[in-house]
Amino acid sequence: MTRARAATIEDVAREAGVSRAAVSKVIRNAYGVSPSMRDRVNAAIEALDYRPRVAARAMRGATFTLGIELPHIGNPFFTKIVAGATATLQGTEYQLIIAPADFDGEEGVRALGALADRQVDGIVAISPLVSPEWLERLAARVPVVMIGRHDRSAAYDTVTGDDTEGTRLAMEHLFELGHRRIVHLTRSEEVTQPGSGTPHAMRLEQYLASMRNAGFGDDIRVVRTGMTEESARLDTLALLDDEVPTAIFVGNDELALGTLRAIGEHGLSPADVSVVGYDDVDIASHPAISLTSVDQSGVAMGERAIRLLLERIAGRTEPVHFSVEPTLRVRGSTRPAAARHID
Amino acid sequence: MTRARAATIEDVAREAGVSRAAVSKVIRNAYGVSPSMRDRVNAAIEALDYRPRVAARAMRGATFTLGIELPHIGNPFFTKIVAGATATLQGTEYQLIIAPADFDGEEGVRALGALADRQVDGIVAISPLVSPEWLERLAARVPVVMIGRHDRSAAYDTVTGDDTEGTRLAMEHLFELGHRRIVHLTRSEEVTQPGSGTPHAMRLEQYLASMRNAGFGDDIRVVRTGMTEESARLDTLALLDDEVPTAIFVGNDELALGTLRAIGEHGLSPADVSVVGYDDVDIASHPAISLTSVDQSGVAMGERAIRLLLERIAGRTEPVHFSVEPTLRVRGSTRPAAARHID
DNA sequence: ATGAAAGCGCTAACAA
DNA sequence: TTGTTAGCGCTTTCAT
């Protein structure tokens, strides 16, 4: 198939009987164009169905494209962030493109690089496992806003949930219900390196702190899993074969859904094992699921990230580190069976 | 912040002591480079951390970027398609970017245009409401694969689920259970224009046909709703206030989740009103949800769409129209209360 | 207010 | 095998 050739700025200029520079000024609505010329140019643009090639614009100026890197597109929490981002971009000249990574390690770096190669005007990235140095080098080329990173660099902005506080809320809630044998199901060591500042690392640390503070240090038990619901299901099943705790605090809702499945498959009910998740994914509030979860408002995070990015593009140079307050959404969690017994 | 200037092909050429053309050949691994030159160039690339600017390449050749347009990123079925697409692209030199549209009307057209402006090498689009003519014009510029469109054009390939068969399966299932007062909850008229070939139009038509064939023409009832779970919840609530059918066949699982919520909120149980959805979203199989649904394998669709696109890019010109077979996943649906009574 | 012309970083003929 | 060179479609001084 012979591909049609689209109109160029040259064609428009000829059609309108003006110079290319004139057309350029009109489409950028730059200063110094007479109304009559503007009209003629616009008419020509209309007539030829002209659309500027982004690649050509990129050679000299901006692409009007913002990129967002997403580890694991299957996680509805990330989807919320994107929803907040697109909503904020409504009515602006910017187009958002998503680079799916399907893991926050090397894959994330690859996706970030792909966005940079495409000369997006700004990048939002969701907590990939990259060194601050690497990010600073990236941020030297293009404005960057990191979501969910607790480290602070002058080179990029951050938008984070207060994972420490969110976890504290979740643990307090379980303590108040009378739980003490609370297992923490979290992701691999790689993603929870102490001091790395990833959300899961913060949650793990606070889980440990809460347990110790409550005097339940001996009951601490951390179980590792992958990043999918299915892996959480499998690892929870293995856990339950070994020991049935009264509660499980799960690193995020996607994993918590797998945990819930496993509990059912093991012949237990949510009344036997209380589950608390993180992110307050939509389905968590479904009555049949009824999952207690920490809401860190993904939509607000996406919105804020885009705002910060636009500010950076507009010239801001001092870093901003924005933190959103988490809220605990209490739903299905119950008192431990033993405690109910005593009632 | 002063943005750092990245190395260009010129810098690499100078560093390696060769011409720009030589470097270009190496990075494209084109024919006619001596091993020694290749090594020197690669060393220089390494040393300068050089990465070719996609925009500059786009001016002459390819961008090695494939774009996928997604209406409503919140729908997990679309997410499956993306998963299939990214998996298929693993190991190739292509990068996938997603343009979220948040509606399949005008917004979809905008997103498609944005991808075209960015000169992606190929586009996968999910059933936006566009005329075949518009699509053919797009397809004249860039290879296009449409997912979920039942019209056939020589200009673009299509990947579809067999919505007629899928709906037939769903309806047969409900008939066999003894249902006859089956409501169809579907999207707005805009998205279900008879003859438009959208998935929802096909499902609606087959619902009508199945009902008539079964002799239940008088029980036909079509209820309209938006594209979100929440709107489905609201419209189902309104329906139930008016009349409680024995079953509801819902246009897709995202909507079906809202219907399930409404049923619960109305004080009914899934045993009172059987719900059948479409897409077999992950959560449908969760025991607590247990939603009967038509599986049209989004992953396979995404995978196939990318394969077709790569074939087009490689030069194929005859159109291919691929259809995936749907399977009914039977879960929670039950016989109508009246029929159970008779038992 | 308008236009001429240089140049962004690459690829692809073509020459050597 | 290697290098020279002419653009690709824009934006942006700088003249006019």
mmCIF file of all heavy atoms in Angstrom, chain A residues 281-316:
data_model
loop_
_atom_site.group_PDB
_atom_site.id
_atom_site.type_symbol
_atom_site.label_atom_id
_atom_site.label_comp_id
_atom_site.label_asym_id
_atom_site.label_seq_id
_atom_site.Cartn_x
_atom_site.Cartn_y
_atom_site.Cartn_z
ATOM 1 N N VAL A 281 -8.484 0.311 46.055
ATOM 2 C CA VAL A 281 -8.902 0.073 44.682
ATOM 3 C C VAL A 281 -10.435 0.013 44.630
ATOM 4 O O VAL A 281 -11.070 -0.333 45.618
ATOM 5 C CB VAL A 281 -8.255 -1.268 44.260
ATOM 6 C CG1 VAL A 281 -9.052 -1.971 43.223
ATOM 7 C CG2 VAL A 281 -6.819 -1.018 43.849
ATOM 8 N N ASP A 282 -11.032 0.368 43.509
ATOM 9 C CA ASP A 282 -12.496 0.412 43.407
ATOM 10 C C ASP A 282 -13.191 -0.835 43.943
ATOM 11 O O ASP A 282 -14.154 -0.740 44.691
ATOM 12 C CB ASP A 282 -12.929 0.622 41.945
ATOM 13 C CG ASP A 282 -12.731 2.067 41.515
ATOM 14 O OD1 ASP A 282 -12.535 2.925 42.413
ATOM 15 O OD2 ASP A 282 -12.755 2.343 40.302
ATOM 16 N N ILE A 283 -12.695 -1.977 43.517
ATOM 17 C CA ILE A 283 -13.387 -3.211 43.858
ATOM 18 C C ILE A 283 -13.382 -3.476 45.363
ATOM 19 O O ILE A 283 -14.209 -4.229 45.873
ATOM 20 C CB ILE A 283 -12.783 -4.418 43.087
ATOM 21 C CG1 ILE A 283 -13.734 -5.612 43.061
ATOM 22 C CG2 ILE A 283 -11.444 -4.821 43.688
ATOM 23 C CD1 ILE A 283 -14.912 -5.428 42.154
ATOM 24 N N ALA A 284 -12.467 -2.852 46.084
ATOM 25 C CA ALA A 284 -12.378 -3.072 47.528
ATOM 26 C C ALA A 284 -13.681 -2.700 48.224
ATOM 27 O O ALA A 284 -14.057 -3.301 49.227
ATOM 28 C CB ALA A 284 -11.215 -2.271 48.121
ATOM 29 N N SER A 285 -14.379 -1.736 47.687
ATOM 30 C CA SER A 285 -15.612 -1.283 48.332
ATOM 31 C C SER A 285 -16.832 -2.085 47.887
ATOM 32 O O SER A 285 -17.935 -1.862 48.354
ATOM 33 C CB SER A 285 -15.843 0.196 48.032
ATOM 34 O OG SER A 285 -16.132 0.373 46.659
ATOM 35 N N HIS A 286 -16.623 -2.996 46.963
ATOM 36 C CA HIS A 286 -17.741 -3.838 46.538
ATOM 37 C C HIS A 286 -18.192 -4.668 47.732
ATOM 38 O O HIS A 286 -17.374 -5.299 48.391
ATOM 39 C CB HIS A 286 -17.315 -4.752 45.381
ATOM 40 C CG HIS A 286 -18.476 -5.451 44.737
ATOM 41 N ND1 HIS A 286 -18.961 -5.096 43.510
ATOM 42 C CD2 HIS A 286 -19.264 -6.466 45.173
ATOM 43 C CE1 HIS A 286 -19.995 -5.877 43.210
ATOM 44 N NE2 HIS A 286 -20.184 -6.721 44.207
ATOM 45 N N PRO A 287 -19.498 -4.684 48.017
ATOM 46 C CA PRO A 287 -19.972 -5.388 49.217
ATOM 47 C C PRO A 287 -19.518 -6.838 49.299
ATOM 48 O O PRO A 287 -19.264 -7.351 50.392
ATOM 49 C CB PRO A 287 -21.497 -5.274 49.114
ATOM 50 C CG PRO A 287 -21.794 -4.677 47.773
ATOM 51 C CD PRO A 287 -20.563 -3.993 47.313
ATOM 52 N N ALA A 288 -19.409 -7.494 48.164
ATOM 53 C CA ALA A 288 -19.020 -8.904 48.188
ATOM 54 C C ALA A 288 -17.534 -9.066 48.535
ATOM 55 O O ALA A 288 -17.117 -10.114 48.998
ATOM 56 C CB ALA A 288 -19.303 -9.557 46.837
ATOM 57 N N ILE A 289 -16.761 -8.022 48.320
ATOM 58 C CA ILE A 289 -15.335 -8.079 48.627
ATOM 59 C C ILE A 289 -15.085 -7.461 49.991
ATOM 60 O O ILE A 289 -14.495 -8.068 50.876
ATOM 61 C CB ILE A 289 -14.516 -7.306 47.564
ATOM 62 C CG1 ILE A 289 -14.726 -7.924 46.181
ATOM 63 C CG2 ILE A 289 -13.045 -7.282 47.944
ATOM 64 C CD1 ILE A 289 -14.102 -9.284 46.001
ATOM 65 N N SER A 290 -15.582 -6.256 50.134
ATOM 66 C CA SER A 290 -15.549 -5.580 51.434
ATOM 67 C C SER A 290 -14.177 -5.634 52.089
ATOM 68 O O SER A 290 -14.006 -6.163 53.175
ATOM 69 C CB SER A 290 -16.595 -6.240 52.338
ATOM 70 O OG SER A 290 -16.925 -5.377 53.389
ATOM 71 N N LEU A 291 -13.217 -5.092 51.369
ATOM 72 C CA LEU A 291 -11.832 -5.116 51.854
ATOM 73 C C LEU A 291 -11.445 -3.810 52.542
ATOM 74 O O LEU A 291 -11.564 -2.730 51.960
ATOM 75 C CB LEU A 291 -10.899 -5.351 50.652
ATOM 76 C CG LEU A 291 -9.398 -5.217 50.877
ATOM 77 C CD1 LEU A 291 -8.888 -6.318 51.819
ATOM 78 C CD2 LEU A 291 -8.652 -5.277 49.545
ATOM 79 N N THR A 292 -11.022 -3.912 53.780
ATOM 80 C CA THR A 292 -10.511 -2.736 54.479
ATOM 81 C C THR A 292 -9.199 -2.331 53.809
ATOM 82 O O THR A 292 -8.351 -3.173 53.536
ATOM 83 C CB THR A 292 -10.263 -3.050 55.960
ATOM 84 O OG1 THR A 292 -11.507 -3.376 56.571
ATOM 85 C CG2 THR A 292 -9.641 -1.857 56.679
ATOM 86 N N SER A 293 -9.045 -1.041 53.545
ATOM 87 C CA SER A 293 -7.872 -0.633 52.771
ATOM 88 C C SER A 293 -7.463 0.800 53.086
ATOM 89 O O SER A 293 -8.274 1.625 53.510
ATOM 90 C CB SER A 293 -8.190 -0.766 51.280
ATOM 91 O OG SER A 293 -7.050 -0.498 50.496
ATOM 92 N N VAL A 294 -6.194 1.080 52.876
ATOM 93 C CA VAL A 294 -5.696 2.438 53.076
ATOM 94 C C VAL A 294 -5.827 3.201 51.759
ATOM 95 O O VAL A 294 -5.254 2.804 50.753
ATOM 96 C CB VAL A 294 -4.222 2.439 53.515
ATOM 97 C CG1 VAL A 294 -3.735 3.871 53.723
ATOM 98 C CG2 VAL A 294 -4.037 1.610 54.774
ATOM 99 N N ASP A 295 -6.600 4.269 51.819
ATOM 100 C CA ASP A 295 -6.851 5.066 50.624
ATOM 101 C C ASP A 295 -5.808 6.173 50.541
ATOM 102 O O ASP A 295 -5.710 7.026 51.402
ATOM 103 C CB ASP A 295 -8.252 5.674 50.724
ATOM 104 C CG ASP A 295 -8.596 6.534 49.515
ATOM 105 O OD1 ASP A 295 -7.769 6.612 48.586
ATOM 106 O OD2 ASP A 295 -9.691 7.112 49.506
ATOM 107 N N GLN A 296 -5.020 6.136 49.463
ATOM 108 C CA GLN A 296 -4.062 7.240 49.310
ATOM 109 C C GLN A 296 -4.382 8.075 48.067
ATOM 110 O O GLN A 296 -3.541 8.786 47.541
ATOM 111 C CB GLN A 296 -2.622 6.727 49.289
ATOM 112 C CG GLN A 296 -2.383 5.588 48.349
ATOM 113 C CD GLN A 296 -0.918 5.182 48.284
ATOM 114 O OE1 GLN A 296 -0.037 5.933 48.699
ATOM 115 N NE2 GLN A 296 -0.654 4.017 47.751
ATOM 116 N N SER A 297 -5.610 7.951 47.639
ATOM 117 C CA SER A 297 -6.114 8.803 46.557
ATOM 118 C C SER A 297 -5.210 8.903 45.341
ATOM 119 O O SER A 297 -4.548 9.912 45.100
ATOM 120 C CB SER A 297 -6.388 10.211 47.089
ATOM 121 O OG SER A 297 -6.992 10.966 46.069
ATOM 122 N N GLY A 298 -5.233 7.869 44.555
ATOM 123 C CA GLY A 298 -4.434 7.836 43.336
ATOM 124 C C GLY A 298 -4.788 8.960 42.380
ATOM 125 O O GLY A 298 -3.923 9.538 41.722
ATOM 126 N N VAL A 299 -6.058 9.276 42.301
ATOM 127 C CA VAL A 299 -6.488 10.334 41.388
ATOM 128 C C VAL A 299 -5.812 11.650 41.765
ATOM 129 O O VAL A 299 -5.263 12.350 40.908
ATOM 130 C CB VAL A 299 -8.025 10.493 41.409
ATOM 131 C CG1 VAL A 299 -8.449 11.678 40.562
ATOM 132 C CG2 VAL A 299 -8.690 9.215 40.910
ATOM 133 N N ALA A 300 -5.834 11.963 43.052
ATOM 134 C CA ALA A 300 -5.204 13.209 43.501
ATOM 135 C C ALA A 300 -3.701 13.189 43.231
ATOM 136 O O ALA A 300 -3.103 14.216 42.892
ATOM 137 C CB ALA A 300 -5.463 13.412 44.990
ATOM 138 N N MET A 301 -3.112 12.016 43.375
ATOM 139 C CA MET A 301 -1.669 11.930 43.124
ATOM 140 C C MET A 301 -1.342 12.192 41.652
ATOM 141 O O MET A 301 -0.397 12.910 41.327
ATOM 142 C CB MET A 301 -1.145 10.545 43.544
ATOM 143 C CG MET A 301 -1.163 10.334 45.045
ATOM 144 S SD MET A 301 -0.664 8.652 45.534
ATOM 145 C CE MET A 301 1.098 8.886 45.743
ATOM 146 N N GLY A 302 -2.152 11.609 40.782
ATOM 147 C CA GLY A 302 -1.925 11.816 39.351
ATOM 148 C C GLY A 302 -2.108 13.276 38.978
ATOM 149 O O GLY A 302 -1.322 13.853 38.212
ATOM 150 N N GLU A 303 -3.143 13.852 39.542
ATOM 151 C CA GLU A 303 -3.430 15.257 39.280
ATOM 152 C C GLU A 303 -2.274 16.138 39.756
ATOM 153 O O GLU A 303 -1.779 16.998 39.023
ATOM 154 C CB GLU A 303 -4.715 15.614 40.037
ATOM 155 C CG GLU A 303 -5.155 17.030 39.869
ATOM 156 C CD GLU A 303 -6.365 17.332 40.748
ATOM 157 O OE1 GLU A 303 -7.262 16.462 40.861
ATOM 158 O OE2 GLU A 303 -6.399 18.419 41.348
ATOM 159 N N ARG A 304 -1.838 15.882 40.960
ATOM 160 C CA ARG A 304 -0.763 16.695 41.522
ATOM 161 C C ARG A 304 0.534 16.535 40.729
ATOM 162 O O ARG A 304 1.255 17.494 40.473
ATOM 163 C CB ARG A 304 -0.550 16.299 42.989
ATOM 164 C CG ARG A 304 0.572 17.008 43.687
ATOM 165 C CD ARG A 304 0.374 18.506 43.722
ATOM 166 N NE ARG A 304 -0.872 18.846 44.387
ATOM 167 C CZ ARG A 304 -1.195 20.072 44.780
ATOM 168 N NH1 ARG A 304 -0.357 21.084 44.576
ATOM 169 N NH2 ARG A 304 -2.349 20.293 45.364
ATOM 170 N N ALA A 305 0.803 15.323 40.342
ATOM 171 C CA ALA A 305 2.036 15.062 39.585
ATOM 172 C C ALA A 305 2.060 15.874 38.293
ATOM 173 O O ALA A 305 3.072 16.485 37.930
ATOM 174 C CB ALA A 305 2.155 13.569 39.268
ATOM 175 N N ILE A 306 0.935 15.899 37.615
ATOM 176 C CA ILE A 306 0.873 16.659 36.362
ATOM 177 C C ILE A 306 1.032 18.154 36.638
ATOM 178 O O ILE A 306 1.750 18.862 35.926
ATOM 179 C CB ILE A 306 -0.464 16.391 35.640
ATOM 180 C CG1 ILE A 306 -0.503 14.953 35.139
ATOM 181 C CG2 ILE A 306 -0.638 17.358 34.469
ATOM 182 C CD1 ILE A 306 0.540 14.632 34.076
ATOM 183 N N ARG A 307 0.403 18.638 37.681
ATOM 184 C CA ARG A 307 0.531 20.060 38.006
ATOM 185 C C ARG A 307 1.991 20.426 38.248
ATOM 186 O O ARG A 307 2.491 21.445 37.771
ATOM 187 C CB ARG A 307 -0.279 20.403 39.254
ATOM 188 C CG ARG A 307 -1.758 20.422 39.021
ATOM 189 C CD ARG A 307 -2.499 21.244 40.089
ATOM 190 N NE ARG A 307 -3.912 20.930 40.048
ATOM 191 C CZ ARG A 307 -4.698 21.167 39.007
ATOM 192 N NH1 ARG A 307 -4.192 21.735 37.921
ATOM 193 N NH2 ARG A 307 -5.968 20.825 39.034
ATOM 194 N N LEU A 308 2.655 19.585 39.018
ATOM 195 C CA LEU A 308 4.062 19.854 39.322
ATOM 196 C C LEU A 308 4.893 19.833 38.044
ATOM 197 O O LEU A 308 5.791 20.663 37.852
ATOM 198 C CB LEU A 308 4.601 18.829 40.322
ATOM 199 C CG LEU A 308 3.997 18.894 41.729
ATOM 200 C CD1 LEU A 308 4.606 17.811 42.621
ATOM 201 C CD2 LEU A 308 4.228 20.260 42.352
ATOM 202 N N LEU A 309 4.571 18.901 37.187
ATOM 203 C CA LEU A 309 5.319 18.785 35.942
ATOM 204 C C LEU A 309 5.135 20.042 35.088
ATOM 205 O O LEU A 309 6.105 20.598 34.554
ATOM 206 C CB LEU A 309 4.823 17.548 35.176
ATOM 207 C CG LEU A 309 5.789 16.909 34.184
ATOM 208 C CD1 LEU A 309 7.140 16.696 34.823
ATOM 209 C CD2 LEU A 309 5.213 15.593 33.690
ATOM 210 N N LEU A 310 3.897 20.491 35.000
ATOM 211 C CA LEU A 310 3.630 21.690 34.201
ATOM 212 C C LEU A 310 4.350 22.896 34.792
ATOM 213 O O LEU A 310 4.858 23.755 34.064
ATOM 214 C CB LEU A 310 2.116 21.945 34.120
ATOM 215 C CG LEU A 310 1.325 20.895 33.337
ATOM 216 C CD1 LEU A 310 -0.173 21.195 33.363
ATOM 217 C CD2 LEU A 310 1.821 20.800 31.895
ATOM 218 N N GLU A 311 4.423 22.950 36.110
ATOM 219 C CA GLU A 311 5.163 24.043 36.755
ATOM 220 C C GLU A 311 6.637 23.975 36.382
ATOM 221 O O GLU A 311 7.265 24.985 36.094
ATOM 222 C CB GLU A 311 5.028 23.956 38.279
ATOM 223 C CG GLU A 311 3.671 24.333 38.818
ATOM 224 C CD GLU A 311 3.571 24.050 40.313
ATOM 225 O OE1 GLU A 311 4.637 23.935 40.974
ATOM 226 O OE2 GLU A 311 2.452 23.919 40.817
ATOM 227 N N ARG A 312 7.185 22.788 36.431
ATOM 228 C CA ARG A 312 8.599 22.602 36.071
ATOM 229 C C ARG A 312 8.835 23.038 34.631
ATOM 230 O O ARG A 312 9.815 23.727 34.331
ATOM 231 C CB ARG A 312 8.979 21.120 36.180
ATOM 232 C CG ARG A 312 9.259 20.639 37.568
ATOM 233 C CD ARG A 312 10.766 20.569 37.813
ATOM 234 N NE ARG A 312 11.040 20.134 39.176
ATOM 235 C CZ ARG A 312 12.219 20.252 39.767
ATOM 236 N NH1 ARG A 312 13.246 20.778 39.120
ATOM 237 N NH2 ARG A 312 12.390 19.856 40.993
ATOM 238 N N ILE A 313 7.932 22.629 33.758
ATOM 239 C CA ILE A 313 8.073 22.992 32.352
ATOM 240 C C ILE A 313 7.996 24.502 32.202
ATOM 241 O O ILE A 313 8.695 25.107 31.387
ATOM 242 C CB ILE A 313 6.973 22.295 31.514
ATOM 243 C CG1 ILE A 313 7.231 20.786 31.484
ATOM 244 C CG2 ILE A 313 6.929 22.855 30.102
ATOM 245 C CD1 ILE A 313 6.114 19.972 30.874
ATOM 246 N N ALA A 314 7.155 25.108 33.045
ATOM 247 C CA ALA A 314 6.998 26.560 32.973
ATOM 248 C C ALA A 314 8.197 27.284 33.578
ATOM 249 O O ALA A 314 8.283 28.505 33.527
ATOM 250 C CB ALA A 314 5.720 26.980 33.684
ATOM 251 N N GLY A 315 9.105 26.528 34.190
ATOM 252 C CA GLY A 315 10.331 27.173 34.645
ATOM 253 C C GLY A 315 10.704 27.027 36.105
ATOM 254 O O GLY A 315 11.783 27.445 36.527
ATOM 255 N N ARG A 316 9.833 26.458 36.919
ATOM 256 C CA ARG A 316 10.189 26.313 38.326
ATOM 257 C C ARG A 316 11.436 25.454 38.462
ATOM 258 O O ARG A 316 11.592 24.461 37.748
ATOM 259 C CB ARG A 316 9.039 25.687 39.112
ATOM 260 C CG ARG A 316 9.424 25.390 40.559
ATOM 261 C CD ARG A 316 8.233 25.079 41.446
ATOM 262 N NE ARG A 316 7.437 23.961 40.969
ATOM 263 C CZ ARG A 316 7.824 22.701 41.014
ATOM 264 N NH1 ARG A 316 9.002 22.383 41.497
ATOM 265 N NH2 ARG A 316 7.028 21.758 40.568
#
